[in-house]
Amino acid sequence: MEHQKTKQMVLLSMMMAIAIILHYIESLFPLPVAIPGIKLGLSNVVSLVALYLFGPGSAILIMVLRVLMTSFLYSGLSSAIFSLFGGILAVSAMILIWTLRNKGFSIVGASVAGGIFHNAGQLMAASIVLGTSAVFSFFPYLIVSGIVTGTATGLLSNMIVPRLKTIIT
Amino acid sequence: MKKNDILVILIGLIMAAAAWFMFNKTRTEPKNSMVVIYKDGNLYRTLSLFEDEIVRIEDEDGRINIISIKDGKADMIEANCQDKICVNTRAAHKDGQSIVCLPNRVVVEIKGAEEDIIDGVSE
């Protein structure tokens, strides 16, 4: 049991480090799209993998710590509010689909839902900061991009989870 | 990928279509649209979309945005923000369209004159 706990802690810390680096790499290559907020969401892969390997608690932990760390390291606290808003919504949506995992919903569905809600959360935070609902005109594009990137990261997670499962058990 | 995953994607697409329809239905091209500029969440200036002008916004922190209004189109032509998303956004010319510069907290919005009258009454 102790052995198992140590294993989980080490894996979670490593995933945490991967999430931070993925977030950094992603910020180096902004996608050439004229709509704010569209990105691949590679660091969401880590929350997703943590959710399917260790459960909701670990997924939330990874997301919150990742947001705080990347905000302190690279972008500043005001962006932490944005990311937290999007991140919490995304993880909640993922957990919802995760609880339905025996009812025909796979990790891809969770990833897509996470992608959509991540973008919706960012947009809500933006409308609060800017004091206007004008930003919601981007909403349809952000949903579609959330679906596309969510599918991509979902398929990726689908490959990672079974491989990591052999390590933890 | 399982059957119900397609369902999630479909619901998302329906949401996108509904949102898109909501914002585009109201977009017409009237002759009296206004350009409303917000800075830090507050109303900065209101201008006519059909009078050519260059607006330069600079705040105490040195954040600069330059907006050009020309031929019935409003465009962010320069900004010293990091991501340049606002500069890459296409020029806005229909009601409800907007250009947003999140780092510098600048929003440029096109509003129909009718909308302003309704707002004035309801306030």
Side-chain angles (χ1 to χ4, degrees):
Chain A
M1 197 60 218
E2 273 303 303
H3 175 66
Q4 207 47 282
K5 262 195 168 156
T6 315
K7 222 172 192 180
Q8 176 172 344
M9 197 181 75
V10 171
L11 252 172
L12 276 177
S13 331
M14 274 160 62
M15 285 164 78
M16 187 58 215
I18 293 169
I20 294 169
I21 286 302
L22 281 179
H23 183 90
Y24 178 63
I25 290 172
E26 207 171 48
S27 72
L28 291 180
F29 305 99
L31 294 180
V33 218
I35 296 166
I38 289 190
K39 51 181 183 174
L40 255 173
L42 280 177
S43 51
N44 276 342
V45 172
V46 180
S47 308
L48 201 62
V49 170
L51 175 65
Y52 276 79
L53 285 181
F54 304 119
S58 304
I60 294 170
L61 185 75
I62 289 248
M63 192 279 298
V64 172
L65 287 179
R66 196 270 298 162
V67 167
L68 290 180
M69 291 288 281
T70 49
S71 301
F72 277 124
L73 284 172
Y74 311 118
S75 42
L77 268 186
S78 69
S79 80
I81 301 163
F82 278 87
S83 310
L84 264 184
F85 219 86
I88 287 171
L89 270 182
V91 172
S92 312
M94 286 176 193
I95 292 173
L96 181 77
I97 303 286
W98 173 79
T99 57
L100 300 169
R101 64 194 176 286
N102 296 325
K103 296 198 174 72
F105 290 95
S106 80
I107 196 166
V108 181
S111 179
V112 170
I116 294 172
F117 277 84
H118 181 262
N119 290 346
Q122 297 261 32
L123 213 51
M124 276 181 216
S127 81
I128 292 167
V129 169
L130 294 167
T132 169
S133 58
V135 287
F136 278 100
S137 54
F138 295 118
F139 199 41
Y141 308 103
L142 285 178
I143 295 177
V144 174
S145 87
I147 293 173
V148 174
T149 60
T151 309
T153 55
L155 292 172
L156 193 64
S157 312
N158 208 11
M159 290 185 246
I160 298 170
V161 170
R163 283 168 173 75
L164 279 183
K165 246 186 188 141
T166 57
I167 299 179
I168 58 164
T169 46
Chain B
M1 176 92 84
K2 288 187 190 165
K3 192 178 59 193
N4 282 345
D5 294 337
I6 311 288
L7 198 75
V8 178
I9 294 175
L10 272 180
I11 292 172
L13 285 178
I14 291 167
M15 269 163 61
W20 189 82
F21 186 72
M22 251 172 61
F23 279 102
N24 279 272
K25 195 181 61 171
T26 52
R27 276 185 209 167
T28 47
E29 295 195 49
K31 293 280 164 280
N32 49 3
S33 291
M34 305 298 287
V35 181
V36 186
I37 302 171
Y38 296 91
K39 169 75 185 165
D40 296 326
N42 302 314
L43 185 64
Y44 181 79
R45 272 185 83 178
T46 307
L47 310 116
S48 168
L49 185 56
F50 301 96
E51 283 163 33
D52 294 358
E53 200 175 332
I54 304 273
V55 181
R56 185 188 154 92
I57 307 172
E58 184 171 358
D59 65 14
E60 312 87 64
D61 301 325
R63 298 186 180 120
I64 302 164
N65 289 74
I66 299 171
I67 298 146
S68 132
I69 301 169
K70 201 170 175 247
D71 305 327
K73 283 183 176 179
D75 195 14
M76 184 83 71
I77 50 173
E78 231 183 288
N80 63 348
C81 58
Q82 285 179 349
D83 52 23
K84 304 280 183 226
I85 284 166
C86 52
V87 182
N88 292 326
T89 307
R90 270 174 295 166
H93 61 107
K94 289 180 182 171
D95 287 359
Q97 282 184 331
S98 56
I99 301 171
V100 179
C101 182
L102 202 52
N104 292 2
R105 298 196 178 179
V106 171
V107 177
V108 180
E109 205 182 337
I110 310 289
K111 276 187 177 168
E114 273 175 45
E115 210 177 322
D116 284 2
I117 294 165
I118 295 167
D119 280 350
V121 171
S122 60
E123 275 163 16

